[in-house]
Amino acid sequence: MNGEEDNIPIPSLVDQPQENQEAAGDGESTDQPNREDYGKTLYGCEHYRRRCKLRTPCCNQVFTCRHCHNEAMSVLSNPKERHELVRQDVKQVICAVCNIEQEVSGLCSNCGVKFGEYFCHICRFYDDDTTKKQFHCHDCGICRVGGRENYFHCPKCGSCYSIELRDNHSCVENSMKNHCPICYEFLFDSIKGTTIMKCGHTMHMDCYSEMISQSQYRCPICSKSVFNMSRTWERLDLEIEATAMPEEYRYEVSILCNDCNNTGKASFHIFGHKCRHCNSYNTRMITTGENHQ
């Protein structure tokens, strides 16, 4: 809906039920806050609670949020028409209460309602649900959730991480400005939770859990073990010791360790090849034994 439609005025205090009038009392001081808060959390979409819609400059359509726009545009039959909204390009919003189109701001210029309890003018972002503890990170250039006091910006990784990871994670340059290696969604501005692995690479938490449930314990990008596998390696030691290979298979092969990146020799075994530098079985053969297929 746009500003050409009928102007629907916001209900005043006198239009409210009698008990609301008594609770509000008399005077200017309580009228303005009630007007700004009218319709709070009653409008929005599946992604956000907000009291306005966005006029998207890329296709001149109206959507409640950029995710609604991107989802609609991603399924267009013509691939050339598919696109995503650049949030900073939004210039016009439509009030969800009175339907008046206007320039981006925090309050409706016509009926005075607050478009969102949280508002970021840089991101053109509105949200009535402040329990998410939204904050704008100037280094990231976007708004994040979880409370500014609980996060820090890692300049090398190029993203905000939990304060628990300060000086306690492996930095990979711009690790968050990549696609999830499982579902291939862009991680930097994804609304899904992400996790950082020991190697420093990142992926969605749901994708990580699904990967582990499938008994896959290596990073899909660099193949390093995603957590401490020492007990698993100890069990492999016992199984290999109890399972002798036939005489014709008793030879050494050259291996590369995915965990420590060292190369070396290991006795061939169908259960695995142990790195002599870090005792990991997360290895790969780079040559077979001499004169053996």
Side-chain angles (χ1 to χ4, degrees):
M1 292 183 285
N2 55 44
E4 296 176 354
E5 299 191 38
D6 293 338
N7 184 1
I8 303 174
I10 183 172
S12 63
L13 285 178
V14 294
D15 296 323
Q16 299 177 15
Q18 183 66 32
E19 59 268 25
N20 288 349
Q21 295 183 43
E22 294 174 358
D26 299 325
E28 286 289 326
S29 60
T30 57
D31 180 66
Q32 187 63 25
N34 284 343
R35 182 176 295 275
E36 290 183 1
D37 291 340
Y38 178 80
K40 182 179 178 180
T41 73
L42 299 181
Y43 300 87
C45 60
E46 62 178 303
H47 306 107
Y48 304 112
R49 297 282 88 192
R50 55 176 57 167
R51 284 162 279 175
C52 69
K53 296 183 179 181
L54 311 177
R55 170 75 66 182
T56 58
C58 46
C59 51
N60 198 32
Q61 297 189 54
V62 176
F63 293 90
T64 303
C65 75
R66 69 181 182 91
H67 297 294
C68 293
H69 168 275
N70 294 346
E71 289 171 4
M73 295 300 107
S74 66
V75 296
L76 293 177
S77 57
N78 186 352
K80 294 182 178 180
E81 294 180 355
R82 297 171 189 171
H83 63 277
E84 293 189 348
L85 173 65
V86 179
R87 68 192 89 189
Q88 292 85 354
D89 290 347
V90 174
K91 305 297 182 186
Q92 299 288 119
V93 295
I94 297 94
C95 178
V97 176
C98 70
N99 298 323
I100 293 297
E101 185 165 347
Q102 56 203 277
E103 292 184 357
V104 170
S105 66
L107 298 175
C108 177
S109 59
N110 179 65
C111 65
V113 299
K114 191 183 295 183
F115 290 143
E117 196 64 29
Y118 175 85
F119 167 55
C120 175
H121 189 272
I122 299 174
C123 295
R124 276 43 172 170
F125 178 63
Y126 304 86
D127 200 348
D128 272 335
D129 183 8
T130 55
T131 60
K132 301 174 185 176
K133 297 183 178 180
Q134 302 93 332
F135 66 97
H136 181 84
C137 174
H138 291 285
D139 292 316
C140 286
I142 60 175
C143 289
R144 302 219 177 260
V145 298
R148 188 184 302 275
E149 69 280 4
N150 297 318
Y151 290 85
F152 76 101
H153 183 88
C154 177
K156 185 172 182 179
C157 295
S159 184
C160 289
Y161 287 150
S162 170
I163 201 73
E164 298 172 353
L165 293 175
R166 188 191 293 273
D167 302 323
N168 189 32
H169 71 283
S170 298
C171 285
V172 174
E173 191 166 359
N174 292 325
S175 63
M176 282 290 289
K177 294 180 180 178
N178 285 293
H179 296 84
C180 174
I182 302 297
C183 70
Y184 215 63
E185 179 184 344
F186 194 59
L187 290 167
F188 184 69
D189 55 2
S190 173
I191 59 175
K192 299 177 184 178
T194 57
T195 184
I196 179 170
M197 294 173 283
K198 282 175 56 180
C199 57
H201 292 119
T202 52
M203 69 168 64
H204 288 128
M205 294 180 68
D206 290 344
C207 295
Y208 176 83
S209 298
E210 179 65 21
M211 181 183 76
I212 298 302
S213 71
Q214 298 296 323
S215 300
Q216 300 297 320
Y217 306 123
R218 295 187 297 183
C219 170
I221 299 174
C222 66
S223 294
K224 292 186 182 299
S225 301
V226 296
F227 45 70
N228 190 341
M229 299 286 290
S230 57
R231 291 189 177 182
T232 301
W233 306 153
E234 289 172 2
R235 287 196 296 271
L236 273 173
D237 283 339
L238 296 176
E239 291 178 10
I240 289 174
E241 185 179 352
T243 309
M245 294 295 292
E247 186 68 33
E248 61 268 29
Y249 291 105
R250 295 180 185 177
Y251 53 84
E252 286 192 330
V253 293
S254 296
I255 61 170
L256 168 67
C257 179
N258 293 320
D259 285 337
C260 69
N261 294 325
N262 280 309
T263 57
K265 296 283 189 177
S267 298
F268 176 79
H269 201 283
I270 57 172
F271 287 164
H273 307 108
K274 185 174 183 176
C275 172
R276 295 174 181 175
H277 298 277
C278 67
N279 297 323
S280 170
Y281 279 95
N282 181 15
T283 60
R284 67 183 77 179
M285 285 195 301
I286 52 179
T287 61
T288 57
E290 292 182 9
N291 302 322
H292 291 278
Q293 297 296 322

